[in-house]
């Protein structure tokens, strides 16, 4: 293998480096190396920190390019090269650098390291229970409040989840049910969540999952894409909604939206900047902070608010007007089909 790598390097440096990476992780696998050694290998080979996070199995390992383990680090960046551990799962192994372009070597490092890590996790901790890769019929059984409790308990046992295990239901825009283990005392960080709009239910015992699932689906309705035309949080935690969750029962998705929402939609057509600006106004502590959030001068924000007030037909710089605006923006999400 070493001789082959040398020959390939003379012809194609990336191909030679890729062969060396494969050989390196093959040796680690044969020696039954542990998780930290595998993450360390990825970091040293890539020349940047490498991070492994498997929430379902309670695993978090981060190693710097010098081979020293340092678990503290910045939030995961969507631009980092990454790999999944389970089919259909979210990223679990990252190389902490924003790639300027696709790298063959990085891809091989991630693929071989993830394969080796998967073997170690399966050998030492078993498959992660309640993962999206498990039987979707079992998950649906656990989430269905109409299913008798003994049947749900049987499904939980088949997914290797004890009745007292604390879990959270996740509702995503694609309609696919997910269940998250861990983080029982606080909402999970976004690095532990799949991409896209997501409603996060409260932590409950596994047999109470129907309640968490119902709350997660309600929370999903309050989410936004996070774009200029659909500003707002991509992830909403049901337990943080409080009384605002009651609005979900007043606005039916897909039906004719309330008058203030229709006014917002018409105003947004006339002024493309409007939605992002109004979201900044209701989600920051001051108008100067709102101006900073949308990267305009304070006087420009005032001009925009004056124009928005003319388009909408109500004041935006009074407490009552801001509340009305906040409710209108919220109901706009709830009215989405």
């Amino acid at each position: 293998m070493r001789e082959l790598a040398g020959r390939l390097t003379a012809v194609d440096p990336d191909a030679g480096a890729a062969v060396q990476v494969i050989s390196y992780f093959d040796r680690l696998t044969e020696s039954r190396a542990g998780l930290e050694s595998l993450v360390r290998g990825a970091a040293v080979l890539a020349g940047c920190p490498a991070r492994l996070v498997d929430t379902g199995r309670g695993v978090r390992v981060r190693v710097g390019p010098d081979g020293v383990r340092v678990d503290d680090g910045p939030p995961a960046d969507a631009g980092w090269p990454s790999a999944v551990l389970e089919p259909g799962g979210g990223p679990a192994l990252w190389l902490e650098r924003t790639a300027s372009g696709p790298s063959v070597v990085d891809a091989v490092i991630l693929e071989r390291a993830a394969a080796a890590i998967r073997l170690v996790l399966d050998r030492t901790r078993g498959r992660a229970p309640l993962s999206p890769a498990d039987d979707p019929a079992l998950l649906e059984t656990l989430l269905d409040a109409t299913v008798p409790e003994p049947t749900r308990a049987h499904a939980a046992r088949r997914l290797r989840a004890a009745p007292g295990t604390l879990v959270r239901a996740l509702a995503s825009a694609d309609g696919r049910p997910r269940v998250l283990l861990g983080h029982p005392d606080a909402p999970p960080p976004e690095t532990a969540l799949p991409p896209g709009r997501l409603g996060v239910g409260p932590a409950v015992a596994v047999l109470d999952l129907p309640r968490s699932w119902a709350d997660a689906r309600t929370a999903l309705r309050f989410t936004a894409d996070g774009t200029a035309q659909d500003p707002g949080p991509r992830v909403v935690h049901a337990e943080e909604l409080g009384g605002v969750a009651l609005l979900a029962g007043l606005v039916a998705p897909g039906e004719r939206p309330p008058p203030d929402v229709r006014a917002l939609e018409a105003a947004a057509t006339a002024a493309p900047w409007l939605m992002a600006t109004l979201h900044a106004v209701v989600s920051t502590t001051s108008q100067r902070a709102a101006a900073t959030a949308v990267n305009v001068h304070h006087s420009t924000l005032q001009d925009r608010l004056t124009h928005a007030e003319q388009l909408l037909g109500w004041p935006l710089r009074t407490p009552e007007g801001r509340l009305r605006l906040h409710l209108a923006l919220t109901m706009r999400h709830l009215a989405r089909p």
Side-chain angles (χ1 to χ4, degrees):
M1 182 69 76
R2 190 173 296 128
E3 181 181 352
L4 174 61
R7 291 179 179 177
L8 284 174
T9 300
V11 178
D12 184 340
D14 280 349
V19 171
Q20 290 177 339
V21 168
I22 294 171
S23 176
Y24 179 83
F25 281 107
D26 282 349
R27 291 197 301 271
L28 287 180
T29 301
E30 290 170 3
S31 65
R32 297 173 71 86
L35 295 176
E36 185 171 333
S37 296
L38 293 168
V39 178
R40 178 178 294 109
V44 172
L45 289 172
C48 68
R51 177 186 309 193
L52 168 66
V53 179
D54 186 335
T55 305
R57 296 181 176 95
V59 174
R60 181 180 177 86
V61 180
R62 181 175 181 270
V63 179
D66 57 358
V68 177
R69 178 166 177 169
V70 184
D71 284 341
D72 293 335
D77 188 321
W80 290 346
S82 63
V84 302
L85 295 182
E86 301 286 349
L93 178 66
W94 290 267
L95 300 179
E96 295 184 11
R97 63 161 164 251
T98 302
S100 56
S103 166
V104 173
V105 177
D106 280 356
V108 174
I109 291 172
L110 286 166
E111 191 275 331
R112 301 303 291 186
I117 287 168
R118 192 180 304 115
L119 289 174
V120 174
L121 288 172
D122 288 349
R123 183 178 71 240
T124 61
R125 306 192 183 210
R127 289 182 59 222
L130 297 175
S131 81
D134 283 311
D135 186 346
L138 292 178
L139 285 181
E140 291 176 8
T141 297
L142 276 176
L143 297 172
D144 190 346
T146 66
V147 173
E149 185 172 305
T151 304
R152 286 189 280 118
H154 177 68
R157 287 193 296 271
R158 289 187 61 188
L159 288 167
R160 295 183 298 282
T165 302
L166 287 179
V167 291
R168 293 176 185 270
L170 305 180
S172 59
D174 62 10
R176 180 181 181 180
R178 293 175 172 86
V179 178
L180 183 69
L181 286 170
H183 306 285
D185 300 322
E190 288 203 23
T191 54
L193 300 174
R197 294 193 297 111
L198 205 68
V200 182
V204 296
V206 70
L207 293 183
D208 289 330
L209 265 173
R211 175 169 63 86
S212 184
W213 174 237
D215 290 348
R217 285 183 293 168
T218 297
L220 175 65
R221 296 183 57 200
F222 288 86
T223 62
D225 290 329
T227 62
Q229 297 308 311
D230 188 26
R234 181 185 68 82
V235 177
V236 170
H237 301 272
E239 58 209 279
E240 297 177 355
L241 284 173
V244 176
L246 296 174
L247 284 175
L250 302 177
V251 182
E255 296 188 2
R256 183 173 172 80
D260 282 357
V261 176
R262 299 200 300 271
L264 274 176
E265 296 291 0
T269 301
W273 47 262
L274 184 123
M275 298 308 303
T277 300
L278 296 185
H279 173 71
V281 168
V282 301
S283 61
T284 56
T285 57
S286 68
Q287 290 184 14
R288 291 196 178 277
T292 300
V294 292
N295 198 29
V296 299
H297 191 271
H298 182 256
S299 61
T300 302
L301 179 72
Q302 295 303 313
D303 293 340
R304 287 188 175 186
L305 289 178
T306 298
H307 187 41
E309 288 171 338
Q310 295 170 349
L311 292 172
L312 294 173
W314 76 80
L316 302 176
R317 284 168 277 202
T318 65
E320 296 80 9
R322 279 168 54 95
L323 175 60
R324 183 175 176 181
L325 173 61
H326 203 163
L327 289 173
L329 291 170
T330 301
M331 290 188 295
R332 179 175 182 255
H333 293 146
L334 294 173
R336 177 171 36 208

